[in-house]
Amino acid sequence: MKFAEFYNGQVIETGLYKVSEEEILQFAQAYDPQWFHVDPEASKQGRFGSLIASGWHTCGIAMKLLVPAALAGSESFASPGLKYVKWPNPVRPNDELSLQATVLDVRRSSSRPSMGILHWRWQLFNQDGAEVLDLEATSLFDLS
């Protein structure tokens, strides 16, 4: 989508993404090797009762879903960061995730009119409707 196509209150929904145990293990072994992400047997004794995905992996899945739905072919070039990120429920092997992105504010920069600023909320849900990710992001667009 182009920057001009975004508007306040817009809701963008994506298709499904199925998370495999192998993917959870590979990501965690490379980037977040905590026992509840990398040891299927030990994780059964943990607070969640099973292997769970890293929250950072969950963020990556959200991005994977959002790019083809909203950012592919856009003028997006960077993000200065997130206002917050929350993982209210764990992602488990075989979960099917979908993303809902809600545009909170879209405007041109007052100091740099050739830059668009988009504030939006991303929510990732599993197949049961449980929210597994909630974040508020800012995306920057080059309109020159």
Side-chain angles (χ1 to χ4, degrees):
M1 297 174 58
K2 298 296 185 184
F3 181 76
E5 297 175 78
F6 290 99
Y7 57 89
N8 292 348
Q10 181 179 21
V11 176
I12 300 161
E13 295 181 338
T14 71
L16 297 175
Y17 182 84
K18 188 170 184 175
V19 185
S20 70
E21 180 174 300
E22 179 181 346
E23 178 183 352
I24 289 172
L25 291 168
Q26 286 178 347
F27 183 94
Q29 288 164 353
Y31 303 107
D32 190 354
Q34 297 181 79
W35 63 273
F36 45 91
H37 299 318
V38 297
D39 189 332
E41 288 307 311
S43 65
K44 289 178 185 176
Q45 306 309 312
R47 179 173 297 271
F48 298 105
S50 72
L51 188 73
I52 62 170
S54 166
W56 303 114
H57 183 186
T58 305
C59 289
I61 292 169
M63 195 70 189
K64 182 176 183 68
L65 287 167
L66 189 66
V67 167
L71 293 175
S74 76
E75 308 94 337
S76 176
F77 71 90
S79 173
L82 305 175
K83 185 172 184 178
Y84 66 85
V85 61
K86 299 176 185 178
W87 298 286
N89 291 287
V91 171
R92 301 173 190 277
N94 299 312
D95 274 357
E96 292 184 345
L97 306 178
S98 61
L99 182 76
Q100 177 179 299
T102 304
V103 176
L104 304 174
D105 185 53
V106 57
R107 63 184 175 83
R108 284 185 179 256
S109 169
S110 56
S111 61
R112 291 180 172 168
S114 66
M115 186 169 64
I117 303 171
L118 176 67
H119 295 280
W120 46 357
R121 181 180 184 193
W122 302 1
Q123 295 171 280
L124 200 58
F125 298 94
N126 70 15
Q127 67 280 351
D128 299 320
E131 186 180 47
V132 298
L133 173 68
D134 181 13
L135 65 81
E136 191 173 313
T138 300
S139 296
L140 304 178
F141 294 75
D142 185 358
L143 307 177
S144 55

